[in-house]
Structures are given as C-alpha cells and as structure tokens.
Amino acid sequence: MSSLPLPVSPAPFPSLDNTLGAWLLGTCFGLIMQGMIYHQAYQYYRLYPNDRIILKLWVVVVVFIETVNSALTIHTSYVYLITNYSNPASLLGPPVWSLSILPIPASFAALVSQTFFARRVYLFGPRRGRIAVVTAAMTCYLGFFGIFAALSVRTFHTNDFQEFLKFSWMASVGSSLLMVGDFMTTAVLIFTLRRSRTGVTRTDSLLDLLIMYAISTGLLICIFNILNVAFAIAEPDNLIYTAISMVLAKLYANTFLVASVFLPQKLPRFL
C-alpha cells in the first residue's frame, strides 16, 4: 500500500504592520516632502528666471524623478491595500512591478542630487586633492546606483514577496556607499567655506550660515542613512528600511533644491 503524500504547509504570511504598514507610512511622509519639493522648485523659477539653463534642467530632472518615485509608491500601496484588500495571498506572489522598478528611479534621484554637490567640490574645492575627492565620491555614488539597479533586476526575477525581502543586504551595501560619498563631499565643502572667511562681518556671517546648513543637513541625512542601513541589516524580513529610504530620497532632493533656491545668490562664488 502506497503512502499518501504529506500535505505541504502554506508559506506564512508576512506581518502587515512592518511590511505594508511601514510602506504606507513611508509613502505618506514621502508625499508630504514631495509637496515641499514642488514649493521649492516654484520658488527657484520665480526668484531666478535668468539662471543658467543647466541648473534649470537639473531642477526639472530632480522634480520629475521624485514625482515618478511618488507615483510608484502610491501605485504599490493601491495594489496591495485596495485592489488586493481581501486577498492577502497576494503577498505570497511576486512583487508588483512598481515595487520592483522603484529602486532605479529612487537611487537615480539621489545620484543626480549628490552630483550637484560633487560638482561644487570640483569647482570650488581645494586645488590639491579635489579631483581625487570628486572621483572617490562619484565612484561611491555610481556604485550605489549600480547596486540598487541590480536590486531592481533581482526583484523582477523573484517568485514571491519573501524572496524579495532576502535582498535587503543589497540596500544596506548601496546605502553605505552613498553615506561614504556624502561624508567626503560635505567635509570638503565645509573645509572650503571655513577657509574662505575674509574677516568682513557680513561675509563671514553668511559663511557661518552656510556651514551650519551643511552640517545640519549632512547630519540629518547621515542619521537617516544609518537608520536605513541598520534596519536593512537587523530587520531584513520587513519593509521598515524601505520606508526610511522613501524619506531619505526626498531629503536628498530637498537638500539640493535648498542649495539651488536659497543659497547661490548669497555667495555665488562658493555655491
């Protein structure tokens, strides 16, 4: 008498709180910051209509990519929380296409924003070593983009949501490279600004303001980068790190737009 095959137990459902719940919160905070991006872009074109075409295009590209990122996060939220509201088994299937493609435009947005600051280092940084710093920083930025592009490709070939969560290590490696590049460009910009002090009270006050801006924004981005890497390593089976990544991507765009809108006309030779 042949033995009956043992029943196969179904794959466990991921917890909704730290997967779709985290994704929804990241989407909400990201949309709030997207509104700030639109406001900053509007202020830029209103205040500086005669600015160089390259900077205008730079702003357009960043705003467009961040709009695409927001649309992709909204689509993913809608598919899982509305379309499949009564079908939790959708979490056991392959990730939706918008989730799979998101790492590419999200990382490209950060690459475009940080290239702006790397360019400033090349133009105004110390003559000795600036090429080496820019080369090293851009290598980190391009490596970051390449890893997230590879993450997107791997996600398209996953068979289920749990398999997708196994690739969180790629996000942690990519974010670490981005953080190293940020540290280098921020440190050189602060050094350049401090070296540019003239002894004139008004000019030095503006320089102090720029230094405080560079330190505060760099510290904030560093904190979010550390959180992103930490959660990707410590909590690889959920989407908390992706929620942090959504906010982090908007922070990069906000930082770039603040530098474009509020700072260049005060000290144009530095920024």
Side-chain angles (χ1 to χ4, degrees), residues 6-264:
L6 295 175
V8 178
S9 58
F13 287 108
S15 171
L16 296 182
D17 284 337
N18 55 19
T19 53
L20 295 184
W23 184 275
L24 181 62
L25 289 176
T27 300
C28 292
F29 284 111
L31 289 176
I32 293 173
M33 300 183 71
Q34 184 69 32
M36 297 171 60
I37 291 173
Y38 289 141
H39 173 72
Q40 290 169 325
Y42 167 76
Q43 291 292 339
Y44 170 75
Y45 286 106
R46 185 180 68 86
L47 294 173
Y48 312 124
N50 299 319
D51 211 350
R52 286 173 294 173
I53 187 65
I54 186 174
L55 293 179
K56 290 183 176 180
L57 291 176
W58 220 316
V59 172
V60 168
V61 169
V62 170
V63 173
F64 174 76
I65 298 173
E66 288 300 342
T67 301
V68 171
N69 290 335
S70 295
L72 292 174
T73 59
I74 292 172
H75 179 268
T76 300
S77 300
Y78 190 90
V79 167
Y80 284 114
L81 300 176
I82 304 300
T83 304
N84 290 289
Y85 169 74
S86 58
N87 181 29
S90 62
L91 289 175
L92 301 180
V96 66
W97 67 268
S98 53
L99 173 59
S100 299
I101 202 174
L102 181 62
I104 293 179
S107 58
F108 186 65
L111 173 64
V112 172
S113 298
Q114 294 311 98
T115 300
F116 173 84
F117 294 102
R119 175 176 175 268
R120 293 309 186 193
V121 171
Y122 177 77
L123 292 176
F124 307 114
R127 292 183 179 180
R128 293 183 179 180
R130 64 180 176 184
I131 295 179
V133 171
V134 171
T135 301
M138 288 305 302
T139 300
C140 291
Y141 294 148
L142 291 173
F144 154 76
F145 176 71
I147 290 175
F148 271 77
L151 174 61
S152 180
V153 173
R154 293 293 298 268
T155 304
F156 269 111
H157 290 86
T158 55
N159 297 317
D160 56 65
F161 205 82
Q162 291 290 347
E163 185 179 355
F164 158 72
L165 294 176
K166 295 178 181 179
F167 298 133
S168 61
W169 67 268
M170 298 179 71
S172 64
V173 173
S175 297
S176 297
L177 286 175
L178 181 61
M179 185 165 50
V180 172
D182 292 344
F183 177 79
M184 287 189 289
T185 54
T186 302
V188 173
L189 285 174
I190 292 174
F191 172 78
T192 302
L193 290 170
R194 288 185 60 86
R195 195 186 60 173
S196 302
R197 297 176 68 89
T198 63
V200 179
T201 302
R202 182 175 181 275
T203 302
D204 287 351
S205 296
L206 290 174
L207 285 170
D208 290 338
L209 175 63
L210 294 178
I211 292 171
M212 289 178 60
Y213 162 78
I215 293 175
S216 59
T217 55
L219 180 61
L220 182 61
I221 287 176
C222 182
I223 291 173
F224 272 87
N225 258 319
I226 291 174
L227 289 174
N228 189 24
V229 173
F231 276 100
I233 295 174
E235 301 284 344
D237 56 346
N238 58 54
L239 295 180
I240 294 178
Y241 75 92
T242 63
I244 298 174
S245 296
M246 293 181 203
V247 177
L248 185 60
K250 304 299 181 185
L251 276 176
Y252 278 113
N254 285 140
T255 302
F256 160 72
L257 287 169
V258 168
S260 300
V261 174
F262 298 108
L263 300 181

